[in-house]
Amino acid sequence: MSGLHIYDGPLARPETADTKMKLIASLTSPYARKVRIVLAEKKIDCPIQVDVPWDAASAVPSYNPLGKVPVLELDDGMTLYDSRVIVEYLDNISPVSRLIPEGNRQAILTRRWEALADGVVDALVAIVLEQRRPAEKQMPEWIARQHEKIERALARLSADLGERAWCHGDGYGLADIAVGCCLCYLDFRLPALDWKTLYPNLEALRVKLSARPSFIDTAPPEN
Ligand SMILES: N[C@@H](CCC(=O)N[C@@H](CS)C(=O)NCC(=O)O)C(=O)O
């Protein structure tokens, strides 16, 4: 995997501070995938400590009080969360392939794409978790509310993309990475939702992004 390798040491937090940066992530998290793609695009070598936050033995709460992945542990033991904070940090530590444009307005418009794409993922995760509960305890109106968020957001993403090649500006950047992770996660978790017919421009973007090595190398394992 380009610039990425899996840490296979113990899950518990080491007693001594690590001398290298480390990403704590699960291999199916779309938020973690966004960070892993940023690492790959920027050619930053960073081991991944795979940890599933839902497991009873998970060490994630010792890195992030919210118990969520991704977390980036820095050389000095400082931990960064969440994915939006981590990607901004990573984009600033290396000049290779700048993913967030210069200038307040351009940067904020990129972050706006990211917020909407991450928001779709939030709604999708809420549906998946609700559907894992016993059928009699599930709240159909809660699931419907999340679906409405996803449908409105996809319409907005598609309208904002229009016929352009990339989400923001003239080139590939964080907006595309966030939207790509969101669309791939929709495919992964909610394949029955037929957004591709409704929004062929989003599907064309997903196909183009999925061919990039950074997306190929971070695809979630089949499960
Ligand atoms: N806003 C956070 C969301 C992170 C998140 O929800 N991660 C999920 C994995 S996909 C998680 O760790 N969930 C565990 C939990 O909610 O307890 C980010 O962008 O990093």
Side-chain angles (χ1 to χ4, degrees):
M1 303 204 312
S2 58
L4 298 176
H5 61 276
I6 304 294
Y7 171 91
D8 61 357
L11 275 189
R13 191 171 194 169
E15 291 297 316
T16 52
D18 247 346
T19 51
K20 288 189 74 181
M21 213 164 61
K22 177 174 78 182
L23 182 70
I24 297 99
S26 78
L27 298 180
T28 51
S29 165
Y31 312 99
R33 187 180 188 192
K34 185 177 57 170
V35 171
R36 292 165 65 205
I37 290 171
V38 167
L39 283 166
E41 296 288 356
K42 295 189 68 73
K43 308 205 183 319
I44 299 172
D45 188 27
C46 178
I48 299 177
Q49 177 173 308
V50 178
D51 197 331
V52 178
W54 304 105
D55 288 351
S58 169
V60 173
S62 71
Y63 294 97
N64 174 359
L66 300 175
K68 295 183 180 195
V69 290
V71 182
L72 184 71
E73 189 182 56
L74 304 183
D75 298 12
D76 61 0
M78 168 65 75
T79 51
L80 298 185
Y81 33 80
D82 59 4
S83 65
R84 296 183 215 178
V85 172
I86 298 171
V87 297
E88 182 166 344
Y89 176 76
L90 294 174
D91 201 36
N92 283 321
I93 59 169
S94 164
V96 175
S97 307
R98 290 307 297 236
L99 299 169
I100 303 173
E102 300 269 327
N104 190 29
R105 187 171 173 88
Q106 299 311 313
I108 286 299
L109 291 178
T110 291
R111 306 323 290 270
R112 179 177 183 266
W113 280 97
E114 185 187 19
L116 195 52
D118 282 10
V120 170
V121 174
D122 293 343
L124 198 43
V125 168
I127 292 173
V128 170
L129 293 179
E130 186 67 14
Q131 288 178 336
R132 282 183 186 161
R133 282 155 46 87
E136 69 281 6
K137 290 193 175 156
Q138 289 179 24
M139 291 172 60
E141 61 279 17
W142 172 253
I143 294 175
R145 187 175 173 84
Q146 306 309 316
H147 269 281
E148 286 165 14
K149 292 178 198 294
I150 294 172
E151 281 155 27
R152 283 192 304 263
L154 287 175
R156 170 51 48 203
L157 290 169
S158 174
D160 286 354
L161 177 62
E163 298 306 313
R164 290 177 306 106
W166 304 107
C167 293
H168 181 74
D170 298 333
Y172 172 73
L174 179 63
D176 304 292
I177 295 173
V179 172
C181 289
C182 154
L183 297 177
C184 292
Y185 197 63
L186 266 177
D187 259 5
F188 181 57
R189 291 296 191 210
L190 210 57
L193 189 75
D194 185 21
W195 55 272
K196 297 177 183 178
T197 314
L198 270 178
Y199 306 118
N201 62 341
L202 293 181
E203 170 59 357
L205 180 70
R206 186 198 65 80
V207 169
K208 183 166 65 179
L209 293 170
S210 296
R212 294 182 76 88
S214 61
F215 274 77
I216 293 170
D217 290 346
T218 57
E222 303 281 328
N223 66 356

PDB file of all heavy atoms in Angstrom, residues 200-221:
ATOM      1  N   PRO A 200     -25.932  11.041 -12.109  1.00  0.00           N
ATOM      2  CA  PRO A 200     -24.825  10.441 -12.880  1.00  0.00           C
ATOM      3  C   PRO A 200     -23.518  11.215 -12.739  1.00  0.00           C
ATOM      4  O   PRO A 200     -22.442  10.622 -12.877  1.00  0.00           O
ATOM      5  CB  PRO A 200     -25.339  10.434 -14.325  1.00  0.00           C
ATOM      6  CG  PRO A 200     -26.561  11.283 -14.342  1.00  0.00           C
ATOM      7  CD  PRO A 200     -27.088  11.374 -12.961  1.00  0.00           C
ATOM      8  N   ASN A 201     -23.590  12.512 -12.469  1.00  0.00           N
ATOM      9  CA  ASN A 201     -22.319  13.258 -12.314  1.00  0.00           C
ATOM     10  C   ASN A 201     -21.573  12.805 -11.049  1.00  0.00           C
ATOM     11  O   ASN A 201     -20.341  12.721 -11.044  1.00  0.00           O
ATOM     12  CB  ASN A 201     -22.543  14.773 -12.338  1.00  0.00           C
ATOM     13  CG  ASN A 201     -23.415  15.292 -11.210  1.00  0.00           C
ATOM     14  OD1 ASN A 201     -24.150  14.540 -10.582  1.00  0.00           O
ATOM     15  ND2 ASN A 201     -23.332  16.586 -10.953  1.00  0.00           N
ATOM     16  N   LEU A 202     -22.321  12.483  -9.984  1.00  0.00           N
ATOM     17  CA  LEU A 202     -21.657  11.988  -8.767  1.00  0.00           C
ATOM     18  C   LEU A 202     -21.072  10.599  -9.028  1.00  0.00           C
ATOM     19  O   LEU A 202     -19.971  10.280  -8.559  1.00  0.00           O
ATOM     20  CB  LEU A 202     -22.638  11.936  -7.593  1.00  0.00           C
ATOM     21  CG  LEU A 202     -23.149  13.283  -7.073  1.00  0.00           C
ATOM     22  CD1 LEU A 202     -24.101  13.053  -5.886  1.00  0.00           C
ATOM     23  CD2 LEU A 202     -21.999  14.198  -6.643  1.00  0.00           C
ATOM     24  N   GLU A 203     -21.796   9.786  -9.775  1.00  0.00           N
ATOM     25  CA  GLU A 203     -21.283   8.442 -10.075  1.00  0.00           C
ATOM     26  C   GLU A 203     -20.015   8.527 -10.930  1.00  0.00           C
ATOM     27  O   GLU A 203     -19.044   7.781 -10.693  1.00  0.00           O
ATOM     28  CB  GLU A 203     -22.386   7.609 -10.764  1.00  0.00           C
ATOM     29  CG  GLU A 203     -21.936   6.279 -11.334  1.00  0.00           C
ATOM     30  CD  GLU A 203     -21.329   5.302 -10.320  1.00  0.00           C
ATOM     31  OE1 GLU A 203     -21.189   5.630  -9.143  1.00  0.00           O
ATOM     32  OE2 GLU A 203     -20.963   4.192 -10.748  1.00  0.00           O
ATOM     33  N   ALA A 204     -20.010   9.452 -11.893  1.00  0.00           N
ATOM     34  CA  ALA A 204     -18.807   9.597 -12.738  1.00  0.00           C
ATOM     35  C   ALA A 204     -17.622  10.025 -11.867  1.00  0.00           C
ATOM     36  O   ALA A 204     -16.493   9.542 -12.055  1.00  0.00           O
ATOM     37  CB  ALA A 204     -19.061  10.616 -13.843  1.00  0.00           C
ATOM     38  N   LEU A 205     -17.872  10.897 -10.903  1.00  0.00           N
ATOM     39  CA  LEU A 205     -16.797  11.323 -10.005  1.00  0.00           C
ATOM     40  C   LEU A 205     -16.312  10.138  -9.167  1.00  0.00           C
ATOM     41  O   LEU A 205     -15.108   9.918  -8.995  1.00  0.00           O
ATOM     42  CB  LEU A 205     -17.293  12.456  -9.090  1.00  0.00           C
ATOM     43  CG  LEU A 205     -16.276  12.992  -8.090  1.00  0.00           C
ATOM     44  CD1 LEU A 205     -15.168  13.774  -8.802  1.00  0.00           C
ATOM     45  CD2 LEU A 205     -16.949  13.892  -7.041  1.00  0.00           C
ATOM     46  N   ARG A 206     -17.265   9.349  -8.639  1.00  0.00           N
ATOM     47  CA  ARG A 206     -16.890   8.187  -7.816  1.00  0.00           C
ATOM     48  C   ARG A 206     -16.019   7.214  -8.610  1.00  0.00           C
ATOM     49  O   ARG A 206     -14.996   6.732  -8.108  1.00  0.00           O
ATOM     50  CB  ARG A 206     -18.138   7.459  -7.295  1.00  0.00           C
ATOM     51  CG  ARG A 206     -17.830   6.336  -6.313  1.00  0.00           C
ATOM     52  CD  ARG A 206     -18.985   5.374  -6.144  1.00  0.00           C
ATOM     53  NE  ARG A 206     -19.290   4.647  -7.369  1.00  0.00           N
ATOM     54  CZ  ARG A 206     -18.625   3.580  -7.815  1.00  0.00           C
ATOM     55  NH1 ARG A 206     -17.606   3.104  -7.131  1.00  0.00           N
ATOM     56  NH2 ARG A 206     -18.982   2.983  -8.948  1.00  0.00           N
ATOM     57  N   VAL A 207     -16.411   6.961  -9.854  1.00  0.00           N
ATOM     58  CA  VAL A 207     -15.649   6.024 -10.695  1.00  0.00           C
ATOM     59  C   VAL A 207     -14.237   6.556 -10.919  1.00  0.00           C
ATOM     60  O   VAL A 207     -13.245   5.830 -10.789  1.00  0.00           O
ATOM     61  CB  VAL A 207     -16.385   5.782 -12.040  1.00  0.00           C
ATOM     62  CG1 VAL A 207     -15.500   5.046 -13.034  1.00  0.00           C
ATOM     63  CG2 VAL A 207     -17.693   5.025 -11.792  1.00  0.00           C
ATOM     64  N   LYS A 208     -14.144   7.854 -11.216  1.00  0.00           N
ATOM     65  CA  LYS A 208     -12.824   8.455 -11.478  1.00  0.00           C
ATOM     66  C   LYS A 208     -11.943   8.383 -10.230  1.00  0.00           C
ATOM     67  O   LYS A 208     -10.764   8.015 -10.298  1.00  0.00           O
ATOM     68  CB  LYS A 208     -13.036   9.915 -11.910  1.00  0.00           C
ATOM     69  CG  LYS A 208     -11.778  10.646 -12.280  1.00  0.00           C
ATOM     70  CD  LYS A 208     -12.079  11.956 -13.012  1.00  0.00           C
ATOM     71  CE  LYS A 208     -12.805  12.951 -12.126  1.00  0.00           C
ATOM     72  NZ  LYS A 208     -13.091  14.221 -12.810  1.00  0.00           N
ATOM     73  N   LEU A 209     -12.531   8.716  -9.081  1.00  0.00           N
ATOM     74  CA  LEU A 209     -11.742   8.717  -7.840  1.00  0.00           C
ATOM     75  C   LEU A 209     -11.344   7.299  -7.453  1.00  0.00           C
ATOM     76  O   LEU A 209     -10.222   7.064  -6.969  1.00  0.00           O
ATOM     77  CB  LEU A 209     -12.543   9.363  -6.701  1.00  0.00           C
ATOM     78  CG  LEU A 209     -12.822  10.862  -6.868  1.00  0.00           C
ATOM     79  CD1 LEU A 209     -13.820  11.339  -5.811  1.00  0.00           C
ATOM     80  CD2 LEU A 209     -11.528  11.668  -6.780  1.00  0.00           C
ATOM     81  N   SER A 210     -12.247   6.344  -7.667  1.00  0.00           N
ATOM     82  CA  SER A 210     -11.986   4.953  -7.257  1.00  0.00           C
ATOM     83  C   SER A 210     -10.812   4.345  -8.004  1.00  0.00           C
ATOM     84  O   SER A 210     -10.271   3.327  -7.579  1.00  0.00           O
ATOM     85  CB  SER A 210     -13.226   4.083  -7.471  1.00  0.00           C
ATOM     86  OG  SER A 210     -14.252   4.537  -6.635  1.00  0.00           O
ATOM     87  N   ALA A 211     -10.436   4.944  -9.130  1.00  0.00           N
ATOM     88  CA  ALA A 211      -9.309   4.416  -9.911  1.00  0.00           C
ATOM     89  C   ALA A 211      -7.966   4.931  -9.381  1.00  0.00           C
ATOM     90  O   ALA A 211      -6.909   4.459  -9.813  1.00  0.00           O
ATOM     91  CB  ALA A 211      -9.479   4.798 -11.375  1.00  0.00           C
ATOM     92  N   ARG A 212      -8.002   5.894  -8.473  1.00  0.00           N
ATOM     93  CA  ARG A 212      -6.735   6.422  -7.941  1.00  0.00           C
ATOM     94  C   ARG A 212      -6.106   5.402  -6.983  1.00  0.00           C
ATOM     95  O   ARG A 212      -6.821   4.787  -6.169  1.00  0.00           O
ATOM     96  CB  ARG A 212      -6.970   7.736  -7.165  1.00  0.00           C
ATOM     97  CG  ARG A 212      -7.443   8.883  -8.035  1.00  0.00           C
ATOM     98  CD  ARG A 212      -7.605  10.140  -7.210  1.00  0.00           C
ATOM     99  NE  ARG A 212      -6.332  10.765  -6.894  1.00  0.00           N
ATOM    100  CZ  ARG A 212      -5.726  11.660  -7.661  1.00  0.00           C
ATOM    101  NH1 ARG A 212      -6.295  12.038  -8.793  1.00  0.00           N
ATOM    102  NH2 ARG A 212      -4.577  12.182  -7.291  1.00  0.00           N
ATOM    103  N   PRO A 213      -4.785   5.244  -7.023  1.00  0.00           N
ATOM    104  CA  PRO A 213      -4.144   4.289  -6.101  1.00  0.00           C
ATOM    105  C   PRO A 213      -4.517   4.531  -4.639  1.00  0.00           C
ATOM    106  O   PRO A 213      -4.712   3.584  -3.874  1.00  0.00           O
ATOM    107  CB  PRO A 213      -2.648   4.526  -6.360  1.00  0.00           C
ATOM    108  CG  PRO A 213      -2.580   5.038  -7.761  1.00  0.00           C
ATOM    109  CD  PRO A 213      -3.830   5.842  -7.983  1.00  0.00           C
ATOM    110  N   SER A 214      -4.658   5.797  -4.247  1.00  0.00           N
ATOM    111  CA  SER A 214      -4.974   6.102  -2.836  1.00  0.00           C
ATOM    112  C   SER A 214      -6.344   5.550  -2.449  1.00  0.00           C
ATOM    113  O   SER A 214      -6.550   5.130  -1.301  1.00  0.00           O
ATOM    114  CB  SER A 214      -4.931   7.616  -2.597  1.00  0.00           C
ATOM    115  OG  SER A 214      -5.883   8.277  -3.410  1.00  0.00           O
ATOM    116  N   PHE A 215      -7.278   5.548  -3.387  1.00  0.00           N
ATOM    117  CA  PHE A 215      -8.606   4.975  -3.104  1.00  0.00           C
ATOM    118  C   PHE A 215      -8.549   3.452  -3.167  1.00  0.00           C
ATOM    119  O   PHE A 215      -9.138   2.766  -2.330  1.00  0.00           O
ATOM    120  CB  PHE A 215      -9.658   5.519  -4.090  1.00  0.00           C
ATOM    121  CG  PHE A 215     -10.280   6.826  -3.661  1.00  0.00           C
ATOM    122  CD1 PHE A 215      -9.592   8.014  -3.802  1.00  0.00           C
ATOM    123  CD2 PHE A 215     -11.551   6.867  -3.098  1.00  0.00           C
ATOM    124  CE1 PHE A 215     -10.150   9.233  -3.393  1.00  0.00           C
ATOM    125  CE2 PHE A 215     -12.122   8.067  -2.689  1.00  0.00           C
ATOM    126  CZ  PHE A 215     -11.425   9.249  -2.848  1.00  0.00           C
ATOM    127  N   ILE A 216      -7.824   2.925  -4.163  1.00  0.00           N
ATOM    128  CA  ILE A 216      -7.728   1.462  -4.307  1.00  0.00           C
ATOM    129  C   ILE A 216      -7.101   0.853  -3.047  1.00  0.00           C
ATOM    130  O   ILE A 216      -7.590  -0.122  -2.488  1.00  0.00           O
ATOM    131  CB  ILE A 216      -6.900   1.102  -5.566  1.00  0.00           C
ATOM    132  CG1 ILE A 216      -7.651   1.536  -6.823  1.00  0.00           C
ATOM    133  CG2 ILE A 216      -6.563  -0.392  -5.605  1.00  0.00           C
ATOM    134  CD1 ILE A 216      -6.853   1.451  -8.112  1.00  0.00           C
ATOM    135  N   ASP A 217      -6.012   1.494  -2.572  1.00  0.00           N
ATOM    136  CA  ASP A 217      -5.275   0.936  -1.429  1.00  0.00           C
ATOM    137  C   ASP A 217      -6.021   1.032  -0.108  1.00  0.00           C
ATOM    138  O   ASP A 217      -5.627   0.402   0.876  1.00  0.00           O
ATOM    139  CB  ASP A 217      -3.928   1.661  -1.288  1.00  0.00           C
ATOM    140  CG  ASP A 217      -2.957   1.312  -2.404  1.00  0.00           C
ATOM    141  OD1 ASP A 217      -3.232   0.329  -3.123  1.00  0.00           O
ATOM    142  OD2 ASP A 217      -1.951   2.026  -2.559  1.00  0.00           O
ATOM    143  N   THR A 218      -7.063   1.857  -0.055  1.00  0.00           N
ATOM    144  CA  THR A 218      -7.774   2.052   1.214  1.00  0.00           C
ATOM    145  C   THR A 218      -9.200   1.511   1.171  1.00  0.00           C
ATOM    146  O   THR A 218      -9.990   1.796   2.072  1.00  0.00           O
ATOM    147  CB  THR A 218      -7.821   3.556   1.581  1.00  0.00           C
ATOM    148  OG1 THR A 218      -8.454   4.264   0.485  1.00  0.00           O
ATOM    149  CG2 THR A 218      -6.436   4.129   1.812  1.00  0.00           C
ATOM    150  N   ALA A 219      -9.511   0.741   0.116  1.00  0.00           N
ATOM    151  CA  ALA A 219     -10.866   0.189   0.009  1.00  0.00           C
ATOM    152  C   ALA A 219     -11.151  -0.685   1.235  1.00  0.00           C
ATOM    153  O   ALA A 219     -10.260  -1.409   1.694  1.00  0.00           O
ATOM    154  CB  ALA A 219     -11.000  -0.628  -1.261  1.00  0.00           C
ATOM    155  N   PRO A 220     -12.380  -0.630   1.778  1.00  0.00           N
ATOM    156  CA  PRO A 220     -12.679  -1.454   2.961  1.00  0.00           C
ATOM    157  C   PRO A 220     -12.624  -2.940   2.623  1.00  0.00           C
ATOM    158  O   PRO A 220     -12.970  -3.325   1.501  1.00  0.00           O
ATOM    159  CB  PRO A 220     -14.097  -1.020   3.358  1.00  0.00           C
ATOM    160  CG  PRO A 220     -14.664  -0.361   2.161  1.00  0.00           C
ATOM    161  CD  PRO A 220     -13.520   0.170   1.346  1.00  0.00           C
ATOM    162  N   PRO A 221     -12.192  -3.762   3.588  1.00  0.00           N
ATOM    163  CA  PRO A 221     -12.172  -5.208   3.323  1.00  0.00           C
ATOM    164  C   PRO A 221     -13.598  -5.731   3.159  1.00  0.00           C
ATOM    165  O   PRO A 221     -14.530  -5.165   3.732  1.00  0.00           O
ATOM    166  CB  PRO A 221     -11.520  -5.792   4.586  1.00  0.00           C
ATOM    167  CG  PRO A 221     -11.631  -4.733   5.630  1.00  0.00           C
ATOM    168  CD  PRO A 221     -11.767  -3.417   4.941  1.00  0.00           C
TER     169      PRO A 221
END
